[in-house]
Amino acid sequence: MNKYSHMDVRVTSWEQVHHFYEALLGALGYTRTFHTELWKVFASEGELPSVAYFALTVNPEHEPNENTIGFWAEEREEVDRIAELVKLNGGTVTSGPGLFPISPTYYAVFFEDPCGNKYEMVHRLN
């Protein structure tokens, strides 16, 4: 059993980030939404609560930190597609896409949402 359940992420403004997250999370397979006034929830296919989901809530005083959330890519081309999607939807690519000296096949892009939260999309063979 994969022990991953969900992620709760704070953003400073839903208006500032909603296009970014709708594009990014949709591309990553979080295609079902369960939004309320307080939480914007993007879930993968299947029945809750047994599927992974990504939840966002607004805290105007949120300060991004050095934490990074990473996603797996099935191929390098997916890393490249996500890098372009990030740029087209208000995010910032901070490094890559390219190979990184973590392993000989570690191909990744590092990026931030419009509020400064940090992410990585990585493909590696070993």
Side-chain angles (χ1 to χ4, degrees), residues 93-105:
V93 171
T94 57
S95 191
L99 288 169
F100 288 84
I102 296 166
S103 80
T105 63

Side-chain angles (χ1 to χ4, degrees), residues 50-111:
S50 62
V51 298
Y53 66 91
F54 198 101
L56 298 150
T57 193
V58 173
N59 176 351
E61 297 177 20
H62 171 67
E63 297 275 340
N65 56 40
E66 294 304 312
N67 293 331
T68 300
I69 296 170
F71 297 100
W72 284 112
E74 292 185 29
E75 57 190 14
R76 287 184 177 187
E77 291 78 13
E78 185 178 5
V79 173
D80 296 337
R81 284 191 302 274
I82 293 299
E84 287 305 310
L85 180 145
V86 165
K87 291 187 267 187
L88 290 172
N89 289 282
T92 303
V93 171
T94 57
S95 191
L99 288 169
F100 288 84
I102 296 166
S103 80
T105 63
Y106 201 98
Y107 188 84
V109 63
F110 294 84
F111 59 95

Side-chain angles (χ1 to χ4, degrees), residues 16-56:
Q16 183 182 17
V17 301
H18 74 92
H19 290 297
F20 175 84
Y21 280 105
E22 288 166 355
L24 175 66
L25 295 175
L28 296 177
Y30 294 86
T31 56
R32 298 172 54 224
T33 60
F34 301 90
H35 295 347
T36 67
E37 186 177 329
L38 294 177
W39 289 95
K40 309 306 180 198
V41 176
F42 296 82
S44 57
E45 292 301 315
E47 294 302 316
L48 289 173
S50 62
V51 298
Y53 66 91
F54 198 101
L56 298 150

